[in-house]
Amino acid sequence: MRTTHYTGRFAPSPTGPLHLGSLLTALASFLDARARQGIWLVRMEDLDPPREMAGAASDILRTLECYGLHWDSEVVYQSQRHALYEDAVKTLLQQSQAFYCTCSRKDLQALDARAYPGTCRGQLTIPAQEHAIRVQVDNSDIHFNDALQGDCTFNLHNDGGDLVIKRKDGLYAYHLAVVIDDAAQNITHIVRGSDLLDSTPRHIHLQRLLNLPTPHYAHLPVIVNAQGQKLSKQTFATALPQTDPVPALFACLQALGQQPPAELRQASRDELLGWGIGHWSLAQVPHCLSLSETSLARR
Ligand code: GLU
Ligand code: ZN
């Protein structure tokens, strides 16, 4: 893989079609990469089949194309990369940083704690019964500087505790896969939603254990509606239209604080994106992103 000063990515989970909220994330990551002459990749995070929707992966890709968000290099599918994740799990077990956890859901619920208390730490032989695999966390603060959220500090020991890297059902955890793949794809800059802000210290912890570089992070603010209420992922259930990308792109640029001139509402998709790349400024992204689905209609 080519190395560059900037490689960004959009990493959707194919749990449904692309909606306005995920378009906003994709667009911000795309513009940040293109404005810096960077590479922009798409990775399909199809790691959790029970949560996936048939056809969603190809539908998401078609929508990205329709919206002019063209990616470089082939799309990477996590479902095809289990061997890499398994290698990392083995390495962490060999380094005694991971362990087999046989706690049942009931055990864990009974603890009623904010963090896994380390019950199974040191268990390094494969147990006969059902088990997850966890990685140990330290009781020390993890700091990082987020380009949008500023200085962040987390203590994983108090918040969540030793984290699951392979689930009881045999599926690899998002935290593990994302860290392996960001490194394998030489990702230098990650722009994503702030729902993942508290995942970042977990990623940094795993990067350190696996000797992988830590990319730059920018977590987009939460999206609110016109009344200032936080919107859940479910709120944006409606799939994006595949016919006229301009209204939604314009609405996203506006929500991102980029102040596109009104006449661009009549522009072509590529003119609008070209303007977005030329004028992109992370510093203009507001603390709250206000976006509503009514903006999808042409005015
Ligand atoms: N696949 C994750 C999601 O759709 C995003 C992962 C990431 O950007 O790190 O929520
Ligand atoms: Zn346990």
Side-chain angles (χ1 to χ4, degrees), residues 233-278:
K233 276 190 177 171
Q234 284 69 36
T235 315
F236 285 120
T238 323
L240 288 164
Q242 302 246 358
T243 43
D244 187 8
V246 169
L249 287 172
F250 190 92
C252 288
L253 276 172
Q254 221 169 23
L256 288 162
Q258 306 299 301
Q259 303 180 327
E263 57 268 26
L264 283 181
R265 286 185 190 280
Q266 311 311 325
S268 73
R269 175 196 81 183
D270 290 343
E271 267 177 290
L272 185 57
L273 286 174
W275 184 93
I277 294 167

Short mmCIF file of all heavy atoms in Angstrom, two decimals, residues 233-278:
data_model
loop_
_atom_site.label_atom_id
_atom_site.label_comp_id
_atom_site.label_asym_id
_atom_site.label_seq_id
_atom_site.Cartn_x
_atom_site.Cartn_y
_atom_site.Cartn_z
N LYS A 233 -29.46 7.56 16.25
CA LYS A 233 -29.21 6.95 14.94
C LYS A 233 -30.52 6.58 14.26
O LYS A 233 -30.66 6.67 13.06
CB LYS A 233 -28.35 5.69 15.09
CG LYS A 233 -26.87 6.04 15.16
CD LYS A 233 -26.00 4.78 15.06
CE LYS A 233 -24.53 5.19 15.06
NZ LYS A 233 -23.63 4.06 15.19
N GLN A 234 -31.50 6.17 15.06
CA GLN A 234 -32.77 5.71 14.51
C GLN A 234 -33.55 6.84 13.85
O GLN A 234 -34.35 6.62 12.95
CB GLN A 234 -33.65 5.08 15.61
CG GLN A 234 -33.22 3.68 16.02
CD GLN A 234 -31.90 3.65 16.77
OE1 GLN A 234 -31.60 4.56 17.54
NE2 GLN A 234 -31.09 2.64 16.53
N THR A 235 -33.30 8.06 14.32
CA THR A 235 -34.06 9.19 13.77
C THR A 235 -33.84 9.32 12.27
O THR A 235 -34.72 9.68 11.52
CB THR A 235 -33.64 10.50 14.47
OG1 THR A 235 -33.59 10.25 15.86
CG2 THR A 235 -34.64 11.60 14.19
N PHE A 236 -32.61 9.04 11.86
CA PHE A 236 -32.29 9.15 10.43
C PHE A 236 -32.48 7.80 9.74
O PHE A 236 -31.57 7.26 9.15
CB PHE A 236 -30.85 9.63 10.27
CG PHE A 236 -30.68 11.08 10.55
CD1 PHE A 236 -29.83 11.51 11.56
CD2 PHE A 236 -31.37 12.03 9.80
CE1 PHE A 236 -29.68 12.86 11.81
CE2 PHE A 236 -31.21 13.38 10.05
CZ PHE A 236 -30.37 13.80 11.06
N ALA A 237 -33.67 7.27 9.86
CA ALA A 237 -33.89 5.94 9.32
C ALA A 237 -34.10 5.96 7.81
O ALA A 237 -33.84 4.99 7.13
CB ALA A 237 -35.09 5.31 10.00
N THR A 238 -34.55 7.09 7.32
CA THR A 238 -34.90 7.17 5.90
C THR A 238 -33.66 7.07 5.03
O THR A 238 -32.67 7.76 5.26
CB THR A 238 -35.58 8.52 5.61
OG1 THR A 238 -36.40 8.86 6.71
CG2 THR A 238 -36.40 8.46 4.34
N ALA A 239 -33.74 6.22 4.02
CA ALA A 239 -32.62 6.11 3.08
C ALA A 239 -32.53 7.38 2.25
O ALA A 239 -33.53 8.06 2.01
CB ALA A 239 -32.84 4.90 2.18
N LEU A 240 -31.33 7.71 1.82
CA LEU A 240 -31.14 8.90 0.99
C LEU A 240 -31.66 8.64 -0.42
O LEU A 240 -31.54 7.54 -0.93
CB LEU A 240 -29.65 9.23 0.91
CG LEU A 240 -29.03 9.79 2.18
CD1 LEU A 240 -27.51 9.70 2.09
CD2 LEU A 240 -29.46 11.22 2.41
N PRO A 241 -32.20 9.67 -1.06
CA PRO A 241 -32.62 9.48 -2.45
C PRO A 241 -31.39 9.24 -3.33
O PRO A 241 -30.33 9.79 -3.07
CB PRO A 241 -33.29 10.82 -2.80
CG PRO A 241 -32.77 11.80 -1.81
CD PRO A 241 -32.46 11.03 -0.56
N GLN A 242 -31.54 8.41 -4.33
CA GLN A 242 -30.41 8.10 -5.21
C GLN A 242 -30.47 8.92 -6.49
O GLN A 242 -29.72 8.68 -7.42
CB GLN A 242 -30.41 6.60 -5.57
CG GLN A 242 -30.37 5.69 -4.36
CD GLN A 242 -29.10 4.87 -4.27
OE1 GLN A 242 -28.24 4.95 -5.13
NE2 GLN A 242 -28.96 4.10 -3.21
N THR A 243 -31.40 9.86 -6.53
CA THR A 243 -31.57 10.61 -7.78
C THR A 243 -30.91 11.98 -7.75
O THR A 243 -30.12 12.31 -8.62
CB THR A 243 -33.06 10.79 -8.08
OG1 THR A 243 -33.72 11.15 -6.86
CG2 THR A 243 -33.66 9.52 -8.65
N ASP A 244 -31.20 12.78 -6.72
CA ASP A 244 -30.76 14.16 -6.70
C ASP A 244 -29.89 14.42 -5.46
O ASP A 244 -30.41 14.72 -4.39
CB ASP A 244 -32.00 15.06 -6.69
CG ASP A 244 -31.62 16.51 -6.85
OD1 ASP A 244 -30.44 16.80 -7.11
OD2 ASP A 244 -32.52 17.37 -6.69
N PRO A 245 -28.58 14.28 -5.58
CA PRO A 245 -27.72 14.38 -4.40
C PRO A 245 -27.51 15.80 -3.88
O PRO A 245 -27.09 15.97 -2.73
CB PRO A 245 -26.39 13.79 -4.89
CG PRO A 245 -26.39 13.99 -6.37
CD PRO A 245 -27.82 13.93 -6.80
N VAL A 246 -27.82 16.80 -4.69
CA VAL A 246 -27.44 18.17 -4.32
C VAL A 246 -28.09 18.68 -3.02
O VAL A 246 -27.38 19.19 -2.15
CB VAL A 246 -27.65 19.14 -5.50
CG1 VAL A 246 -27.53 20.60 -5.07
CG2 VAL A 246 -26.62 18.83 -6.60
N PRO A 247 -29.42 18.53 -2.83
CA PRO A 247 -30.00 19.07 -1.59
C PRO A 247 -29.37 18.49 -0.32
O PRO A 247 -29.08 19.24 0.62
CB PRO A 247 -31.48 18.69 -1.70
CG PRO A 247 -31.72 18.56 -3.16
CD PRO A 247 -30.45 18.00 -3.74
N ALA A 248 -29.15 17.19 -0.29
CA ALA A 248 -28.58 16.59 0.92
C ALA A 248 -27.13 17.02 1.12
O ALA A 248 -26.70 17.31 2.24
CB ALA A 248 -28.68 15.07 0.85
N LEU A 249 -26.36 17.09 0.03
CA LEU A 249 -24.97 17.52 0.15
C LEU A 249 -24.92 18.98 0.64
O LEU A 249 -24.11 19.33 1.51
CB LEU A 249 -24.23 17.41 -1.20
CG LEU A 249 -23.89 15.99 -1.66
CD1 LEU A 249 -23.34 16.01 -3.08
CD2 LEU A 249 -22.87 15.34 -0.71
N PHE A 250 -25.80 19.80 0.10
CA PHE A 250 -25.84 21.21 0.50
C PHE A 250 -26.18 21.31 1.99
O PHE A 250 -25.53 22.03 2.75
CB PHE A 250 -26.88 21.97 -0.34
CG PHE A 250 -26.82 23.46 -0.15
CD1 PHE A 250 -26.03 24.25 -0.97
CD2 PHE A 250 -27.54 24.07 0.87
CE1 PHE A 250 -25.95 25.63 -0.78
CE2 PHE A 250 -27.46 25.45 1.07
CZ PHE A 250 -26.68 26.24 0.23
N ALA A 251 -27.19 20.54 2.42
CA ALA A 251 -27.60 20.55 3.83
C ALA A 251 -26.45 20.10 4.74
O ALA A 251 -26.24 20.67 5.82
CB ALA A 251 -28.81 19.65 4.02
N CYS A 252 -25.69 19.11 4.31
CA CYS A 252 -24.58 18.61 5.12
C CYS A 252 -23.47 19.66 5.21
O CYS A 252 -22.90 19.90 6.28
CB CYS A 252 -24.03 17.30 4.56
SG CYS A 252 -25.15 15.91 4.83
N LEU A 253 -23.16 20.31 4.08
CA LEU A 253 -22.14 21.36 4.08
C LEU A 253 -22.53 22.48 5.05
O LEU A 253 -21.71 22.99 5.81
CB LEU A 253 -21.97 21.95 2.68
CG LEU A 253 -21.05 21.21 1.72
CD1 LEU A 253 -21.16 21.81 0.32
CD2 LEU A 253 -19.59 21.28 2.20
N GLN A 254 -23.82 22.81 4.99
CA GLN A 254 -24.32 23.87 5.86
C GLN A 254 -24.24 23.44 7.33
O GLN A 254 -23.76 24.19 8.17
CB GLN A 254 -25.78 24.13 5.48
CG GLN A 254 -26.13 25.57 5.46
CD GLN A 254 -27.49 25.80 4.82
OE1 GLN A 254 -28.35 24.89 4.79
NE2 GLN A 254 -27.70 26.99 4.33
N ALA A 255 -24.68 22.22 7.61
CA ALA A 255 -24.63 21.72 8.99
C ALA A 255 -23.19 21.70 9.50
O ALA A 255 -22.94 21.91 10.68
CB ALA A 255 -25.23 20.32 9.05
N LEU A 256 -22.25 21.47 8.60
CA LEU A 256 -20.83 21.41 8.98
C LEU A 256 -20.22 22.81 9.11
O LEU A 256 -19.01 22.95 9.25
CB LEU A 256 -20.04 20.57 7.97
CG LEU A 256 -20.30 19.05 8.04
CD1 LEU A 256 -19.83 18.35 6.77
CD2 LEU A 256 -19.61 18.45 9.28
N GLY A 257 -21.07 23.84 9.00
CA GLY A 257 -20.60 25.21 9.22
C GLY A 257 -19.78 25.78 8.08
O GLY A 257 -19.10 26.79 8.25
N GLN A 258 -19.88 25.18 6.91
CA GLN A 258 -19.01 25.61 5.81
C GLN A 258 -19.61 26.78 5.00
O GLN A 258 -18.94 27.33 4.14
CB GLN A 258 -18.69 24.43 4.88
CG GLN A 258 -18.13 23.22 5.61
CD GLN A 258 -16.80 23.52 6.31
OE1 GLN A 258 -15.81 23.92 5.68
NE2 GLN A 258 -16.76 23.35 7.63
N GLN A 259 -20.85 27.15 5.31
CA GLN A 259 -21.51 28.30 4.68
C GLN A 259 -21.45 28.32 3.16
O GLN A 259 -20.94 29.28 2.56
CB GLN A 259 -20.92 29.60 5.24
CG GLN A 259 -21.06 29.66 6.76
CD GLN A 259 -20.49 30.93 7.35
OE1 GLN A 259 -19.52 31.48 6.85
NE2 GLN A 259 -21.09 31.38 8.43
N PRO A 260 -21.98 27.29 2.51
CA PRO A 260 -22.02 27.33 1.04
C PRO A 260 -22.94 28.45 0.57
O PRO A 260 -24.02 28.63 1.15
CB PRO A 260 -22.59 25.96 0.67
CG PRO A 260 -23.34 25.51 1.88
CD PRO A 260 -22.62 26.08 3.05
N PRO A 261 -22.56 29.23 -0.45
CA PRO A 261 -23.43 30.29 -0.95
C PRO A 261 -24.72 29.72 -1.53
O PRO A 261 -24.71 28.64 -2.14
CB PRO A 261 -22.59 30.97 -2.04
CG PRO A 261 -21.41 30.12 -2.28
CD PRO A 261 -21.27 29.16 -1.15
N ALA A 262 -25.82 30.44 -1.33
CA ALA A 262 -27.15 29.94 -1.68
C ALA A 262 -27.25 29.53 -3.15
O ALA A 262 -27.94 28.56 -3.48
CB ALA A 262 -28.20 31.00 -1.36
N GLU A 263 -26.53 30.22 -4.03
CA GLU A 263 -26.67 29.89 -5.46
C GLU A 263 -26.17 28.48 -5.76
O GLU A 263 -26.54 27.88 -6.78
CB GLU A 263 -25.98 30.93 -6.37
CG GLU A 263 -24.50 31.15 -6.12
CD GLU A 263 -24.24 32.30 -5.15
OE1 GLU A 263 -25.13 32.59 -4.30
OE2 GLU A 263 -23.14 32.88 -5.20
N LEU A 264 -25.36 27.90 -4.87
CA LEU A 264 -24.88 26.54 -5.11
C LEU A 264 -25.99 25.49 -4.97
O LEU A 264 -25.81 24.34 -5.33
CB LEU A 264 -23.72 26.20 -4.17
CG LEU A 264 -22.36 26.81 -4.54
CD1 LEU A 264 -21.30 26.37 -3.55
CD2 LEU A 264 -21.94 26.40 -5.96
N ARG A 265 -27.14 25.92 -4.45
CA ARG A 265 -28.30 25.01 -4.41
C ARG A 265 -28.68 24.57 -5.82
O ARG A 265 -29.25 23.51 -6.01
CB ARG A 265 -29.51 25.70 -3.78
CG ARG A 265 -29.42 25.86 -2.28
CD ARG A 265 -30.74 26.43 -1.77
NE ARG A 265 -30.64 26.83 -0.38
CZ ARG A 265 -30.72 25.99 0.65
NH1 ARG A 265 -30.92 24.71 0.42
NH2 ARG A 265 -30.61 26.42 1.89
N GLN A 266 -28.36 25.42 -6.77
CA GLN A 266 -28.70 25.11 -8.16
C GLN A 266 -27.50 24.50 -8.91
O GLN A 266 -27.59 24.21 -10.10
CB GLN A 266 -29.15 26.37 -8.92
CG GLN A 266 -30.21 27.22 -8.19
CD GLN A 266 -31.37 26.41 -7.67
OE1 GLN A 266 -31.77 25.43 -8.31
NE2 GLN A 266 -31.89 26.76 -6.50
N ALA A 267 -26.40 24.34 -8.22
CA ALA A 267 -25.17 23.85 -8.88
C ALA A 267 -25.26 22.35 -9.14
O ALA A 267 -26.17 21.67 -8.67
CB ALA A 267 -23.96 24.16 -8.00
N SER A 268 -24.31 21.86 -9.90
CA SER A 268 -24.23 20.41 -10.10
C SER A 268 -23.55 19.80 -8.87
O SER A 268 -22.89 20.50 -8.09
CB SER A 268 -23.41 20.09 -11.35
OG SER A 268 -22.04 20.34 -11.10
N ARG A 269 -23.70 18.51 -8.75
CA ARG A 269 -23.08 17.78 -7.64
C ARG A 269 -21.58 18.05 -7.57
O ARG A 269 -21.03 18.38 -6.51
CB ARG A 269 -23.34 16.28 -7.85
CG ARG A 269 -22.67 15.39 -6.85
CD ARG A 269 -22.64 13.97 -7.36
NE ARG A 269 -21.57 13.75 -8.30
CZ ARG A 269 -21.35 12.60 -8.94
NH1 ARG A 269 -22.15 11.57 -8.74
NH2 ARG A 269 -20.33 12.47 -9.77
N ASP A 270 -20.90 17.93 -8.69
CA ASP A 270 -19.45 18.05 -8.66
C ASP A 270 -18.98 19.48 -8.44
O ASP A 270 -17.94 19.71 -7.82
CB ASP A 270 -18.84 17.43 -9.92
CG ASP A 270 -19.00 15.91 -9.91
OD1 ASP A 270 -19.26 15.35 -8.81
OD2 ASP A 270 -18.89 15.27 -10.97
N GLU A 271 -19.77 20.44 -8.91
CA GLU A 271 -19.46 21.84 -8.60
C GLU A 271 -19.54 22.07 -7.09
O GLU A 271 -18.68 22.71 -6.49
CB GLU A 271 -20.49 22.76 -9.26
CG GLU A 271 -20.11 23.29 -10.63
CD GLU A 271 -21.25 24.13 -11.19
OE1 GLU A 271 -22.30 23.53 -11.53
OE2 GLU A 271 -21.11 25.35 -11.25
N LEU A 272 -20.62 21.52 -6.52
CA LEU A 272 -20.83 21.70 -5.07
C LEU A 272 -19.70 21.03 -4.28
O LEU A 272 -19.14 21.64 -3.35
CB LEU A 272 -22.19 21.09 -4.70
CG LEU A 272 -22.66 21.28 -3.27
CD1 LEU A 272 -22.71 22.75 -2.89
CD2 LEU A 272 -24.05 20.65 -3.08
N LEU A 273 -19.33 19.82 -4.66
CA LEU A 273 -18.25 19.13 -3.96
C LEU A 273 -16.92 19.87 -4.16
O LEU A 273 -16.11 19.97 -3.23
CB LEU A 273 -18.13 17.68 -4.45
CG LEU A 273 -19.23 16.72 -3.96
CD1 LEU A 273 -19.08 15.36 -4.63
CD2 LEU A 273 -19.19 16.58 -2.43
N GLY A 274 -16.72 20.38 -5.38
CA GLY A 274 -15.49 21.14 -5.66
C GLY A 274 -15.40 22.36 -4.76
O GLY A 274 -14.34 22.65 -4.19
N TRP A 275 -16.54 23.03 -4.59
CA TRP A 275 -16.57 24.19 -3.69
C TRP A 275 -16.24 23.72 -2.26
O TRP A 275 -15.46 24.35 -1.55
CB TRP A 275 -17.96 24.86 -3.74
CG TRP A 275 -17.99 26.11 -2.89
CD1 TRP A 275 -17.73 27.38 -3.30
CD2 TRP A 275 -18.25 26.16 -1.48
NE1 TRP A 275 -17.81 28.24 -2.23
CE2 TRP A 275 -18.12 27.51 -1.10
CE3 TRP A 275 -18.55 25.21 -0.51
CZ2 TRP A 275 -18.30 27.95 0.21
CZ3 TRP A 275 -18.73 25.64 0.81
CH2 TRP A 275 -18.61 26.98 1.16
N GLY A 276 -16.85 22.59 -1.89
CA GLY A 276 -16.63 22.06 -0.54
C GLY A 276 -15.17 21.74 -0.26
O GLY A 276 -14.65 22.05 0.82
N ILE A 277 -14.50 21.17 -1.25
CA ILE A 277 -13.08 20.82 -1.08
C ILE A 277 -12.25 22.11 -0.97
O ILE A 277 -11.41 22.25 -0.08
CB ILE A 277 -12.59 19.96 -2.27
CG1 ILE A 277 -13.30 18.60 -2.27
CG2 ILE A 277 -11.07 19.77 -2.21
CD1 ILE A 277 -13.12 17.79 -3.55
N GLY A 278 -12.55 23.06 -1.87
CA GLY A 278 -11.78 24.31 -1.90
C GLY A 278 -11.95 25.14 -0.64
O GLY A 278 -11.05 25.90 -0.28
#
